Coordinates of all heavy atoms in Angstrom, one line a residue:
M1 N -22.5 -9.8 -40.4 CA -22.9 -9.1 -39.1 C -22.4 -10.0 -37.9 O -22.6 -11.1 -37.8 CB -24.4 -9.0 -39.1 CG -25.0 -8.4 -37.9 SD -25.5 -6.7 -38.0 CE -26.9 -6.7 -39.1
K2 N -21.8 -9.3 -37.0 CA -21.3 -9.9 -35.8 C -22.0 -9.4 -34.5 O -22.5 -8.3 -34.5 CB -19.8 -9.7 -35.6 CG -19.0 -10.4 -36.7 CD -17.6 -10.6 -36.3 CE -16.8 -11.3 -37.4 NZ -15.7 -12.0 -36.9
T3 N -22.1 -10.2 -33.5 CA -22.7 -9.9 -32.3 C -21.8 -9.9 -31.1 O -21.1 -10.9 -31.0 CB -23.9 -10.8 -32.0 OG1 -24.8 -10.8 -33.1 CG2 -24.7 -10.3 -30.8
I4 N -21.7 -8.9 -30.4 CA -20.8 -8.8 -29.2 C -21.6 -8.3 -28.0 O -22.4 -7.4 -28.2 CB -19.6 -8.0 -29.5 CG1 -18.6 -8.7 -30.4 CG2 -18.8 -7.6 -28.2 CD1 -17.4 -8.0 -30.8
T5 N -21.4 -8.9 -26.9 CA -22.2 -8.5 -25.7 C -21.5 -7.4 -24.9 O -20.3 -7.2 -25.0 CB -22.5 -9.7 -24.8 OG1 -21.3 -10.1 -24.2 CG2 -23.2 -10.8 -25.5
C6 N -22.3 -6.7 -24.1 CA -21.8 -5.7 -23.2 C -20.7 -6.3 -22.3 O -19.7 -5.7 -22.2 CB -23.0 -5.2 -22.3 SG -22.6 -3.9 -21.2
R7 N -20.9 -7.5 -21.8 CA -20.0 -8.2 -21.0 C -18.6 -8.4 -21.7 O -17.6 -8.3 -21.1 CB -20.6 -9.5 -20.5 CG -20.0 -10.0 -19.2 CD -20.7 -11.3 -18.8 NE -22.1 -11.1 -18.5 CZ -22.5 -10.7 -17.3 NH1 -21.6 -10.4 -16.4 NH2 -23.8 -10.5 -17.0
Q8 N -18.7 -8.8 -23.0 CA -17.5 -9.0 -23.7 C -16.7 -7.8 -23.9 O -15.5 -7.8 -24.2 CB -17.8 -9.7 -25.1 CG -18.2 -11.1 -25.0 CD -18.6 -11.7 -26.4 OE1 -19.5 -11.2 -27.0 NE2 -17.9 -12.7 -26.8
M9 N -17.4 -6.6 -23.8 CA -16.7 -5.4 -24.0 C -16.2 -4.8 -22.6 O -15.8 -3.7 -22.5 CB -17.6 -4.3 -24.7 CG -17.9 -4.7 -26.1 SD -19.1 -3.6 -26.9 CE -18.1 -2.1 -27.1
G10 N -16.4 -5.6 -21.6 CA -15.9 -5.1 -20.3 C -17.1 -4.6 -19.4 O -16.8 -4.0 -18.4
G11 N -18.3 -4.6 -20.0 CA -19.4 -4.1 -19.2 C -20.1 -5.2 -18.3 O -19.6 -6.3 -18.3
P12 N -21.1 -4.8 -17.6 CA -21.7 -5.7 -16.6 C -22.9 -6.5 -17.1 O -23.4 -7.3 -16.3 CB -22.0 -4.7 -15.5 CG -22.4 -3.4 -16.2 CD -21.6 -3.4 -17.5
C13 N -23.4 -6.3 -18.3 CA -24.7 -7.0 -18.6 C -24.6 -7.8 -19.9 O -23.5 -7.8 -20.5 CB -25.9 -6.0 -18.6 SG -26.0 -5.1 -20.1
D14 N -25.6 -8.4 -20.3 CA -25.6 -9.3 -21.5 C -26.3 -8.7 -22.7 O -26.7 -9.4 -23.6 CB -26.2 -10.6 -21.1 CG -25.3 -11.4 -20.2 OD1 -24.1 -11.5 -20.5 OD2 -25.8 -11.9 -19.2
E15 N -26.5 -7.4 -22.7 CA -27.0 -6.7 -23.8 C -26.2 -7.0 -25.1 O -25.0 -7.0 -25.0 CB -27.0 -5.2 -23.5 CG -27.6 -4.3 -24.6 CD -29.1 -4.1 -24.5 OE1 -29.7 -4.5 -23.5 OE2 -29.7 -3.6 -25.5
K16 N -26.9 -7.2 -26.2 CA -26.1 -7.6 -27.4 C -26.0 -6.4 -28.4 O -27.0 -5.6 -28.5 CB -26.8 -8.7 -28.1 CG -26.7 -10.0 -27.4 CD -27.4 -11.1 -28.2 CE -27.2 -12.5 -27.6 NZ -28.2 -12.7 -26.4
F17 N -24.9 -6.2 -29.0 CA -24.7 -5.2 -30.1 C -24.3 -5.9 -31.3 O -23.4 -6.7 -31.4 CB -23.6 -4.2 -29.6 CG -23.8 -3.7 -28.2 CD1 -23.0 -4.2 -27.2 CD2 -24.9 -2.9 -27.9 CE1 -23.2 -3.7 -25.9 CE2 -25.1 -2.5 -26.6 CZ -24.2 -2.9 -25.6
Q18 N -24.9 -5.5 -32.4 CA -24.6 -6.1 -33.7 C -24.0 -5.0 -34.7 O -24.4 -3.8 -34.6 CB -25.9 -6.7 -34.4 CG -26.3 -7.9 -33.6 CD -27.4 -8.6 -34.3 OE1 -28.3 -8.0 -34.8 NE2 -27.3 -9.9 -34.4
G19 N -23.1 -5.4 -35.5 CA -22.6 -4.5 -36.5 C -21.8 -5.2 -37.5 O -21.4 -6.4 -37.4
N20 N -21.5 -4.5 -38.6 CA -20.7 -5.1 -39.7 C -19.2 -4.7 -39.5 O -18.3 -5.2 -40.2 CB -21.2 -4.6 -41.0 CG -22.5 -5.2 -41.3 OD1 -22.7 -6.4 -41.2 ND2 -23.5 -4.4 -41.7
T21 N -18.9 -3.7 -38.6 CA -17.5 -3.3 -38.4 C -17.3 -3.2 -36.9 O -18.3 -3.0 -36.1 CB -17.2 -1.9 -39.0 OG1 -18.1 -1.0 -38.4 CG2 -17.5 -1.9 -40.5
P22 N -16.0 -3.3 -36.5 CA -15.7 -3.2 -35.0 C -16.2 -1.8 -34.6 O -16.7 -1.7 -33.4 CB -14.2 -3.3 -35.0 CG -13.8 -3.9 -36.3 CD -14.9 -3.7 -37.3
E23 N -16.0 -0.8 -35.4 CA -16.3 0.6 -35.0 C -17.8 0.7 -34.7 O -18.2 1.4 -33.8 CB -16.0 1.6 -36.2 CG -14.5 1.8 -36.3 CD -13.8 0.7 -37.1 OE1 -14.5 -0.1 -37.7 OE2 -12.5 0.6 -37.1
E24 N -18.6 0.1 -35.5 CA -20.1 0.1 -35.4 C -20.5 -0.5 -34.0 O -21.3 0.1 -33.3 CB -20.7 -0.6 -36.5 CG -22.1 -0.2 -36.8 CD -22.7 -1.0 -37.9 OE1 -22.0 -1.4 -38.9 OE2 -23.9 -1.3 -37.9
I25 N -19.9 -1.6 -33.7 CA -20.2 -2.3 -32.4 C -19.7 -1.5 -31.2 O -20.4 -1.3 -30.2 CB -19.7 -3.7 -32.4 CG1 -20.4 -4.5 -33.5 CG2 -19.8 -4.3 -31.0 CD1 -19.9 -5.9 -33.6
M26 N -18.5 -0.9 -31.4 CA -17.9 -0.1 -30.3 C -18.7 1.1 -30.0 O -19.0 1.5 -28.9 CB -16.5 0.4 -30.8 CG -15.4 -0.1 -29.9 SD -13.8 0.7 -30.5 CE -13.1 -0.6 -31.4
Q27 N -19.3 1.7 -31.1 CA -20.1 2.9 -30.9 C -21.4 2.5 -30.2 O -21.8 3.2 -29.3 CB -20.4 3.5 -32.3 CG -20.8 5.0 -32.2 CD -21.5 5.5 -33.4 OE1 -21.4 4.9 -34.5 NE2 -22.3 6.5 -33.2
K28 N -22.0 1.5 -30.7 CA -23.3 1.0 -30.0 C -23.1 0.7 -28.6 O -23.9 1.0 -27.7 CB -23.9 -0.2 -30.8 CG -24.5 0.2 -32.1 CD -25.2 -1.0 -32.7 CE -25.7 -0.6 -34.1 NZ -26.2 -1.8 -34.9
G29 N -22.0 0.0 -28.3 CA -21.6 -0.4 -26.9 C -21.4 0.9 -26.1 O -21.9 1.0 -24.9
G30 N -20.7 1.9 -26.6 CA -20.4 3.1 -25.9 C -21.7 3.8 -25.6 O -21.9 4.3 -24.5
E31 N -22.6 3.9 -26.6 CA -23.9 4.6 -26.4 C -24.7 3.9 -25.3 O -25.3 4.6 -24.4 CB -24.7 4.6 -27.7 CG -24.3 5.7 -28.6 CD -24.9 5.5 -30.0 OE1 -25.8 4.7 -30.2 OE2 -24.4 6.3 -30.9
H32 N -24.7 2.6 -25.3 CA -25.4 1.8 -24.3 C -24.9 2.1 -22.9 O -25.7 2.3 -22.0 CB -25.3 0.3 -24.7 CG -25.6 -0.6 -23.5 ND1 -26.9 -0.9 -23.1 CD2 -24.8 -1.3 -22.7 CE1 -26.8 -1.7 -22.1 NE2 -25.5 -2.0 -21.8
V33 N -23.6 2.1 -22.8 CA -23.0 2.3 -21.5 C -23.3 3.7 -21.0 O -23.7 3.9 -19.8 CB -21.4 2.1 -21.5 CG1 -20.7 2.6 -20.3 CG2 -21.1 0.6 -21.7
N34 N -23.2 4.7 -21.8 CA -23.6 6.0 -21.5 C -25.0 6.1 -21.0 O -25.3 6.8 -20.0 CB -23.3 7.0 -22.6 CG -21.9 7.3 -22.8 OD1 -21.1 7.3 -21.8 ND2 -21.4 7.6 -24.0
E35 N -25.9 5.5 -21.8 CA -27.3 5.5 -21.5 C -27.6 4.9 -20.1 O -28.4 5.5 -19.3 CB -28.0 4.8 -22.6 CG -29.4 5.2 -22.9 CD -30.0 4.4 -24.0 OE1 -29.6 4.7 -25.2 OE2 -30.8 3.5 -23.8
M36 N -27.1 3.7 -19.9 CA -27.3 3.0 -18.6 C -26.7 3.8 -17.5 O -27.3 3.8 -16.4 CB -26.7 1.6 -18.7 CG -27.4 0.7 -19.7 SD -29.2 0.5 -19.4 CE -29.1 -0.6 -18.0
A37 N -25.5 4.3 -17.7 CA -24.9 5.1 -16.6 C -25.7 6.3 -16.3 O -25.8 6.7 -15.1 CB -23.4 5.5 -17.0
A38 N -26.3 6.9 -17.3 CA -27.1 8.1 -17.1 C -28.4 7.8 -16.2 O -28.9 8.6 -15.5 CB -27.6 8.7 -18.4
K39 N -28.8 6.5 -16.3 CA -29.9 6.0 -15.6 C -29.5 5.7 -14.1 O -30.4 5.3 -13.3 CB -30.6 4.8 -16.2 CG -31.4 5.1 -17.4 CD -32.0 3.8 -18.0 CE -32.6 4.1 -19.4 NZ -32.8 2.8 -20.1
G40 N -28.2 5.7 -13.9 CA -27.7 5.5 -12.5 C -27.4 4.0 -12.2 O -27.3 3.6 -11.1
D41 N -27.2 3.2 -13.3 CA -26.8 1.8 -13.1 C -25.4 1.8 -12.7 O -24.5 2.3 -13.4 CB -27.0 1.0 -14.3 CG -26.7 -0.4 -14.1 OD1 -27.6 -1.2 -13.7 OD2 -25.5 -0.8 -14.4
E42 N -25.1 1.2 -11.5 CA -23.8 1.2 -10.9 C -22.7 0.5 -11.7 O -21.6 1.1 -12.0 CB -23.8 0.6 -9.5 CG -22.8 1.1 -8.6 CD -22.9 0.6 -7.2 OE1 -24.1 0.7 -6.6 OE2 -22.0 0.1 -6.6
G43 N -23.0 -0.6 -12.2 CA -22.1 -1.4 -13.1 C -21.7 -0.6 -14.3 O -20.5 -0.6 -14.7
H44 N -22.7 0.0 -14.9 CA -22.4 0.8 -16.2 C -21.7 2.1 -15.8 O -20.9 2.6 -16.7 CB -23.6 1.0 -17.0 CG -24.2 -0.3 -17.6 ND1 -25.0 -1.1 -16.9 CD2 -23.9 -0.8 -18.8 CE1 -25.3 -2.1 -17.7 NE2 -24.6 -2.0 -18.9
M45 N -21.9 2.6 -14.7 CA -21.2 3.8 -14.3 C -19.7 3.5 -14.1 O -18.9 4.3 -14.5 CB -21.8 4.4 -13.0 CG -23.1 5.2 -13.2 SD -24.1 5.5 -11.7 CE -23.2 6.8 -11.0
K46 N -19.4 2.3 -13.6 CA -18.0 1.9 -13.5 C -17.4 1.7 -14.9 O -16.3 2.1 -15.1 CB -17.9 0.6 -12.7 CG -18.0 0.7 -11.2 CD -17.1 -0.3 -10.6 CE -17.1 -0.1 -9.0 NZ -18.2 -0.9 -8.4
A47 N -18.2 1.1 -15.8 CA -17.7 0.9 -17.1 C -17.4 2.2 -17.8 O -16.5 2.4 -18.6 CB -18.7 0.1 -17.9
K48 N -18.3 3.2 -17.6 CA -18.2 4.5 -18.2 C -16.9 5.2 -17.6 O -16.2 5.8 -18.4 CB -19.4 5.4 -17.9 CG -19.4 6.7 -18.6 CD -20.7 7.5 -18.4 CE -20.7 8.9 -18.8 NZ -19.5 9.5 -19.4
E49 N -16.7 5.0 -16.3 CA -15.5 5.6 -15.7 C -14.2 5.1 -16.4 O -13.3 5.8 -16.7 CB -15.4 5.2 -14.2 CG -15.7 6.3 -13.3 CD -15.9 5.8 -11.9 OE1 -14.9 5.1 -11.4 OE2 -16.9 6.0 -11.2
M50 N -14.3 3.8 -16.7 CA -13.1 3.1 -17.4 C -13.0 3.7 -18.8 O -11.9 4.0 -19.2 CB -13.4 1.6 -17.4 CG -12.6 0.9 -16.3 SD -13.2 -0.8 -16.1 CE -13.5 -1.4 -17.8
M51 N -14.1 3.9 -19.4 CA -14.1 4.4 -20.8 C -13.5 5.8 -20.8 O -12.7 6.2 -21.7 CB -15.5 4.4 -21.3 CG -15.8 3.4 -22.4 SD -17.6 3.2 -22.8 CE -18.1 4.9 -22.9
D52 N -14.0 6.6 -19.8 CA -13.6 8.0 -19.8 C -12.1 8.1 -19.4 O -11.3 8.9 -20.0 CB -14.4 8.8 -18.7 CG -15.8 9.0 -19.1 OD1 -16.1 8.9 -20.3 OD2 -16.6 9.3 -18.3
A53 N -11.6 7.2 -18.5 CA -10.2 7.2 -18.2 C -9.3 6.8 -19.4 O -8.2 7.3 -19.5 CB -10.0 6.2 -17.0
A54 N -9.9 5.9 -20.2 CA -9.1 5.4 -21.4 C -8.8 6.6 -22.3 O -7.7 6.5 -23.0 CB -9.9 4.4 -22.1
V55 N -9.6 7.6 -22.4 CA -9.3 8.8 -23.2 C -8.0 9.4 -22.9 O -7.3 9.9 -23.8 CB -10.5 9.8 -23.1 CG1 -10.1 11.1 -23.9 CG2 -11.8 9.2 -23.6
N56 N -7.6 9.4 -21.6 CA -6.4 10.0 -21.1 C -5.3 9.0 -20.9 O -4.3 9.2 -20.3 CB -6.6 10.8 -19.8 CG -7.6 11.9 -20.0 OD1 -7.6 12.6 -21.0 ND2 -8.6 11.9 -19.1
D57 N -5.5 7.8 -21.4 CA -4.6 6.7 -21.2 C -4.4 5.9 -22.5 O -5.0 4.8 -22.7 CB -5.1 5.8 -20.1 CG -4.2 4.6 -19.8 OD1 -3.0 4.6 -20.3 OD2 -4.6 3.7 -19.1
P58 N -3.6 6.4 -23.4 CA -3.5 5.8 -24.7 C -3.1 4.3 -24.7 O -3.5 3.5 -25.5 CB -2.4 6.6 -25.4 CG -2.3 7.9 -24.7 CD -2.8 7.6 -23.3
E59 N -2.2 4.0 -23.7 CA -1.8 2.6 -23.6 C -2.9 1.7 -23.2 O -3.1 0.6 -23.7 CB -0.6 2.6 -22.6 CG 0.4 1.5 -23.0 CD 1.8 1.9 -22.5 OE1 2.3 2.9 -23.1 OE2 2.3 1.3 -21.5
G60 N -3.6 2.2 -22.2 CA -4.8 1.4 -21.7 C -5.8 1.2 -22.8 O -6.4 0.2 -22.9
L61 N -6.0 2.3 -23.6 CA -7.0 2.3 -24.6 C -6.6 1.3 -25.7 O -7.4 0.5 -26.2 CB -7.1 3.7 -25.3 CG -8.2 3.8 -26.4 CD1 -9.6 3.6 -25.9 CD2 -8.1 5.2 -27.0
K62 N -5.3 1.3 -26.0 CA -4.8 0.4 -27.0 C -5.0 -1.1 -26.6 O -5.4 -1.9 -27.4 CB -3.3 0.7 -27.3 CG -2.9 0.1 -28.7 CD -1.5 0.2 -29.0 CE -1.1 -0.6 -30.2 NZ -1.5 -2.0 -30.1
K63 N -4.7 -1.3 -25.3 CA -4.9 -2.7 -24.8 C -6.3 -3.1 -24.9 O -6.6 -4.2 -25.3 CB -4.5 -2.6 -23.3 CG -3.6 -3.7 -22.9 CD -3.0 -3.4 -21.5 CE -2.7 -4.5 -20.6 NZ -2.3 -4.1 -19.3
W64 N -7.2 -2.2 -24.6 CA -8.7 -2.5 -24.6 C -9.0 -2.8 -26.1 O -9.8 -3.7 -26.4 CB -9.5 -1.4 -24.0 CG -10.9 -1.7 -24.0 CD1 -11.6 -2.3 -23.0 CD2 -11.9 -1.4 -25.1 NE1 -12.9 -2.4 -23.4 CE2 -13.1 -1.9 -24.6 CE3 -11.8 -0.8 -26.3 CZ2 -14.3 -1.8 -25.4 CZ3 -13.0 -0.7 -27.1 CH2 -14.2 -1.2 -26.6
Q65 N -8.5 -2.0 -27.0 CA -8.9 -2.1 -28.4 C -8.3 -3.4 -29.0 O -9.0 -4.1 -29.7 CB -8.3 -1.0 -29.2 CG -9.2 0.3 -29.2 CD -8.6 1.5 -29.8 OE1 -7.4 1.6 -29.9 NE2 -9.5 2.4 -30.3
D66 N -7.1 -3.8 -28.6 CA -6.5 -5.1 -29.0 C -7.4 -6.2 -28.5 O -7.7 -7.2 -29.3 CB -5.1 -5.3 -28.4 CG -4.1 -4.4 -29.1 OD1 -4.5 -3.8 -30.2 OD2 -3.0 -4.3 -28.7
Q67 N -7.8 -6.1 -27.3 CA -8.7 -7.1 -26.7 C -10.0 -7.2 -27.4 O -10.5 -8.3 -27.7 CB -8.9 -6.8 -25.2 CG -9.0 -8.0 -24.3 CD -9.0 -7.6 -22.9 OE1 -9.6 -6.6 -22.5 NE2 -8.3 -8.3 -22.0
F68 N -10.6 -6.0 -27.7 CA -11.8 -5.9 -28.4 C -11.7 -6.6 -29.8 O -12.6 -7.3 -30.2 CB -12.3 -4.5 -28.5 CG -13.6 -4.3 -29.3 CD1 -14.8 -4.6 -28.6 CD2 -13.6 -4.0 -30.6 CE1 -16.0 -4.5 -29.3 CE2 -14.8 -3.9 -31.3 CZ -16.0 -4.1 -30.7
M69 N -10.6 -6.3 -30.5 CA -10.5 -6.8 -31.8 C -10.4 -8.3 -31.8 O -10.8 -9.0 -32.7 CB -9.2 -6.2 -32.5 CG -9.4 -4.8 -33.0 SD -10.9 -4.5 -34.0 CE -10.5 -5.5 -35.4
Q70 N -9.7 -8.8 -30.8 CA -9.6 -10.3 -30.6 C -11.0 -10.9 -30.4 O -11.3 -11.9 -31.1 CB -8.8 -10.6 -29.4 CG -7.6 -11.5 -29.7 CD -6.7 -11.7 -28.5 OE1 -7.1 -11.8 -27.4 NE2 -5.4 -11.5 -28.8
T71 N -11.8 -10.2 -29.6 CA -13.2 -10.7 -29.3 C -14.0 -10.6 -30.6 O -14.7 -11.5 -31.0 CB -13.8 -9.8 -28.3 OG1 -13.0 -9.8 -27.1 CG2 -15.2 -10.3 -27.9
Y72 N -13.8 -9.5 -31.4 CA -14.5 -9.3 -32.6 C -14.2 -10.4 -33.6 O -15.0 -10.9 -34.3 CB -14.2 -7.9 -33.2 CG -14.9 -7.6 -34.4 CD1 -16.2 -7.1 -34.4 CD2 -14.3 -7.8 -35.7 CE1 -16.9 -6.9 -35.6 CE2 -15.0 -7.5 -36.9 CZ -16.3 -7.1 -36.8 OH -16.9 -6.8 -38.0
N73 N -12.9 -10.6 -33.7 CA -12.4 -11.6 -34.7 C -12.9 -13.0 -34.4 O -13.0 -13.8 -35.3 CB -10.9 -11.6 -34.9 CG -10.4 -10.3 -35.6 OD1 -11.1 -9.7 -36.4 ND2 -9.2 -9.8 -35.2
T74 N -13.0 -13.3 -33.2 CA -13.5 -14.7 -32.8 C -15.0 -14.8 -32.7 O -15.5 -15.9 -32.6 CB -12.8 -15.1 -31.5 OG1 -13.1 -14.2 -30.5 CG2 -11.3 -15.3 -31.6
A75 N -15.7 -13.7 -32.7 CA -17.2 -13.7 -32.7 C -17.7 -14.4 -33.9 O -17.1 -14.1 -35.0 CB -17.7 -12.3 -32.5
S76 N -18.8 -15.1 -33.8 CA -19.2 -15.8 -35.0 C -20.0 -14.9 -35.9 O -20.7 -14.0 -35.4 CB -20.1 -17.0 -34.6 OG -21.1 -16.6 -33.7
E77 N -19.9 -15.1 -37.2 CA -20.5 -14.3 -38.2 C -22.0 -14.8 -38.3 O -22.3 -16.0 -38.3 CB -19.8 -14.5 -39.5 CG -20.1 -13.5 -40.6 CD -19.3 -12.2 -40.4 OE1 -18.1 -12.3 -40.2 OE2 -19.8 -11.1 -40.5
E78 N -22.9 -13.8 -38.4 CA -24.3 -14.2 -38.5 C -24.9 -13.8 -39.8 O -24.6 -12.7 -40.3 CB -25.1 -13.6 -37.3 CG -24.8 -14.3 -36.0 CD -25.5 -13.7 -34.8 OE1 -26.8 -13.5 -35.0 OE2 -24.9 -13.4 -33.9
Ligands
ZN1 ZN1 -24.6 -3.2 -20.5

């Protein structure tokens, strides 16, 4: 099980997400960003904008995923 923070995923806070796969952590992080953005948190609204933009920007998305995988691979196993 690995732990990655919202901040490590490009978000604005230190909320932690745990999972056994990168997909699991990515999904939890995405849900968190959507939830916080829905509450009107400005930092997370910006993160959500970036996430939404990435859907139409395969190159940007790939860059983010590469970066995420690097973070995932260097995160300590718990
Ligand atoms: Zn957050």
Side-chain angles (χ1 to χ4, degrees):
M1 179 102 67
K2 293 198 182 209
T3 306
I4 287 179
T5 65
C6 181
R7 203 177 295 278
Q8 282 176 305
M9 292 176 73
C13 79
D14 290 310
E15 180 88 12
K16 292 184 174 77
F17 312 108
Q18 290 188 316
N20 292 310
T21 62
E23 288 78 15
E24 204 180 326
I25 294 176
M26 243 186 255
Q27 199 200 338
K28 283 183 186 174
E31 279 169 10
H32 160 79
V33 166
N34 282 331
E35 208 178 283
M36 295 300 286
K39 286 181 189 163
D41 183 88
E42 206 173 309
H44 290 86
M45 281 163 79
K46 277 215 180 90
K48 184 174 169 5
E49 253 170 55
M50 261 162 43
M51 253 168 44
D52 290 344
V55 175
N56 299 313
D57 178 13
E59 214 149 289
L61 182 64
K62 199 183 170 305
K63 228 166 149 183
W64 184 88
Q65 279 173 333
D66 286 350
Q67 215 171 40
F68 177 82
M69 283 311 293
Q70 233 171 47
T71 305
Y72 181 83
N73 287 331
T74 53
S76 54
E77 197 83 45
E78 287 177 49

